[in-house]
Amino acid sequence: MNNPLALIIDDEPDIRELLEITLGRMGIDTRATGDVAASKEILEKYRFDLCLTDMRLPDGNGIDLVEHINDHFPDLPVAVITAHGNMESAVQALKSGAFDFVSKPVDLKVLRKLVETALKLDIGQTTGKPTPSQDESSNILQGKSSAIKHIRKMIAKLARSQAPVYISGESGTGKELAARLIHDQGPRAEKPFVPVNCGAIPHELMESEFFGHKKGSFTGAVNDKLGLFQAADGGTLFLDEVADLPLHMQVKLLRAIQEKGVRPVGAQREVFVDARIISATHSNLSELVKKGEFRQDLFYRINVIELNIPPLRDRWEDIAILCDSILTRLSEQIDIEKPEIEEKAMQQLLNYHFPGNVRELENMLECALTLCDSNIIESMDLQIPNNPQQDTALPPNLSLEEHIEEVERALIIKALEETHWNRTAAAKKLGISFRALRYRLSKLDLDPK
């Protein structure tokens, strides 16, 4: 098997030599040029696995070369070498299609990581290696609409890049799933995917949670602890609801992303971390930037490429497909025959606004599966609200789903206790079928088996 082949483009002989020696020690053959014209010629002669190009060249710039390679050699990952601290150029390169970037003076550890990641991507491309298997029944990005086809195409493209991705969209549209698919289809698939809800971490613990801490650095720090960045090393860190980060953490997050390193609380030096950043929120970050509630420089850094997930009401053609997928998964979980949806009920679903999007559809079908007494889901089983925009008061700190589960749990336990845990008698007492009770017992972890 031949060694991988890399093209190095830099007009400084010392830099070219450093890169050739470094890659040579990694078992990678190299070809080197010093300008755009010579690079375009050599690209036609060899089949390269990786390209490293300086940003400034005598007869052009790295951005032009990135765009040329994307147009003529779309499977070739190209990384740009930028001047130290010039994040504007790095972001511009990523937006133009660069796989990644490395800053001068070149940190060889960072360079080696970049090269290893790029070659994993290339091996998967050239050998026909399949992407990690996904549970299609839970893939809420299924469908035939033009909107969802575009999203799937974008995800496949983004998986080949290391650029930070910002996923926007309403609650319940599937932003975390999109992030997981980007990770699973890329060269980091075998490394961790670490999701974190930024709004769920207490402000006083954020720095420790994100960056880790050293033993004795504060009261309660009885051991060294790795942070979320270190946990995602080599993989992907998904920052969900990034808009909820307080301003002081936004500053620290920006530095961690730009420097590709973190300093644990109580540590004296930074630790190199190689993690791809994908962020998401249902909030309008642009508006928050205007209000001064979100740092513009951080927004610019995480929003290199934006992926907008459309609401379910804009992809109504996908509803029937999603229903079939969701019901298949739910039925398999409790080993029952998958029910059908009557035509009238399906029409109601197609006409519904779905303010909660696919998550609301899942909850609705889960409830219907419980309520239907036959193998047909009817309109009454769906319990579609007459006015989806109507405000409803919920108990403090409980979501609607959690509140419903608490009520169901209490009623079911009461019926079981009164019937000495005779499930047939309990189902009759509750006015539901034995099949429906069996499902709820499994869902609420009340089934003694």
Side-chain angles (χ1 to χ4, degrees), residues 183 192-196 210 228-229 232 235-239 253 275-279:
H183 171 81
F193 175 86
V194 180
V196 52
F210 275 104
L228 294 165
F229 269 85
T236 301
L237 180 62
F238 175 56
L239 304 174
L253 177 61
R276 185 182 188 182
I277 304 297
I278 301 179
S279 56

Side-chain angles (χ1 to χ4, degrees), residues 29 62 79 112 142 155 181 185 221 263 277 283 378 383 389 412 447:
D29 295 334
R112 284 192 287 266
Q142 288 180 340
I155 285 173
L181 290 176
Q185 293 180 21
R263 189 174 72 167
I277 304 297
S283 303
E378 301 177 355
Q383 297 190 340
Q389 305 297 334
I412 290 173
D447 198 331

Side-chain angles (χ1 to χ4, degrees), residues 178-218:
R180 285 184 181 274
L181 290 176
I182 292 170
H183 171 81
D184 287 346
Q185 293 180 21
R188 297 175 179 267
E190 296 178 356
K191 296 295 184 177
F193 175 86
V194 180
V196 52
N197 187 325
C198 297
I201 304 176
H203 288 191
E204 64 272 15
L205 297 179
M206 274 192 171
E207 190 171 356
S208 171
E209 288 295 313
F210 275 104
F211 309 136
H213 63 247
K214 304 297 289 183
K215 178 181 178 181
S217 56
F218 56 85

Side-chain angles (χ1 to χ4, degrees), residues 112-155:
R112 284 192 287 266
K113 281 284 188 180
L114 182 154
V115 171
E116 289 171 358
T117 302
L119 292 181
K120 285 179 184 176
L121 176 68
D122 194 60
I123 290 170
Q125 181 75 23
T126 57
T127 63
K129 175 185 174 183
T131 56
S133 61
Q134 296 144 16
D135 181 359
E136 291 297 327
S137 65
S138 65
N139 186 350
I140 63 175
L141 295 182
Q142 288 180 340
K144 60 181 181 180
S145 66
S146 58
I148 213 64
K149 287 179 181 177
H150 173 72
I151 293 299
R152 289 198 292 262
K153 184 177 180 180
M154 282 291 294
I155 285 173

Side-chain angles (χ1 to χ4, degrees), residues 327-343:
L327 287 174
T328 296
R329 171 166 49 86
L330 293 175
S331 300
E332 288 176 350
Q333 286 177 356
I334 57 173
D335 192 25
I336 63 172
E337 183 181 352
K338 183 180 76 175
E340 301 295 327
I341 301 178
E342 69 168 5
E343 185 176 345

